[in-house]
Amino acid sequence: MAAKPVRVGRSRVRVVNRVLLGLAGLLLLALGAAVLVGGLDLPRRWNFGLPGSWPFDGPDDVLLTHDDRRRWRDEGWWWPTVIAALALIVLLTLWWLLAQARRRRLREVMVASGEGEGAVLRGRALEGVLAAEAEAMDGVDRARVTLRGRRTAPEARVRLVLAAHAQPAETLARLRAEALEHARASAGLDRLPAEVRMRAVRHRAERVS
């Protein structure tokens, strides 16, 4: 069976991480701006008005007044809503932490040997074989491979340092057809998705006399 196409780009979890960090950053930025405008009394100094819902009107204002803090406590829906919101935040946080844990380095890979039997292959051994075969290709100066995912469905993260004469498209095609396909076939995997990152080797400037 032919190897599946190589994935070049961001993983799903990495995108989620960046979205969450971006949203948290925007929220903190908006809150900081509200505090700064009120704390420095900018509306009075610069002579401009604020919306009625603006949380801070001046240096002596607070985010929540005493009446605001006690306004909803006697309502029947208040505490169930608060508890449900906190539970949802906890569940989302646990999901995010588990997603990070799944991205750690894979220690073992389950190798299918046929007839329903299987063996366990060390992840570092398969990483070393992949890296060695990648470095043996023309135009590849150095290679580093990391396996992630589950041991029954590993994913490879490949980083290549290319020589000056290397052709990235040709190198990627050979990596997919040779190194990744050999690793997939030897481990008896149906597919071995990979994320490949390439960069050119850096040379020091030569002095010309």
Side-chain angles (χ1 to χ4, degrees), residues 1-8 126 129-131 133-134 137 145-147 154-158 160 171-196:
M1 182 181 295
K4 299 294 182 180
V6 178
R7 295 187 308 175
V8 182
L126 186 57
V129 172
L130 261 171
E133 189 166 358
M137 296 190 307
V145 180
T146 303
L147 293 178
E155 299 178 1
R157 185 176 181 182
V158 184
L160 302 179
T171 302
L172 180 61
R174 288 192 58 191
L175 178 72
R176 178 173 56 188
E178 298 177 11
L180 291 173
E181 171 61 16
H182 294 164
R184 183 203 65 78
S186 63
L189 301 172
D190 293 333
R191 58 193 301 268
L192 180 59
E195 175 185 329
V196 182

Side-chain angles (χ1 to χ4, degrees), residues 113-127:
S113 58
E115 297 181 357
E117 299 179 355
V120 175
L121 174 65
R122 289 185 58 191
R124 289 187 180 272
L126 186 57
E127 291 172 352

Side-chain angles (χ1 to χ4, degrees), residues 76-97:
W77 56 267
W78 170 249
W79 288 115
T81 302
V82 171
I83 294 174
L86 294 177
L88 180 61
I89 293 174
V90 170
L91 290 176
L92 290 176
T93 303
L94 289 176
W95 171 84
W96 183 77
L97 290 175

Side-chain angles (χ1 to χ4, degrees), residues 141-164:
D141 190 72
R142 292 190 303 275
R144 182 179 178 182
V145 180
T146 303
L147 293 178
R148 301 183 185 275
R150 304 188 306 273
R151 66 176 187 170
T152 56
E155 299 178 1
R157 185 176 181 182
V158 184
R159 296 190 178 188
L160 302 179
V161 178
L162 303 182

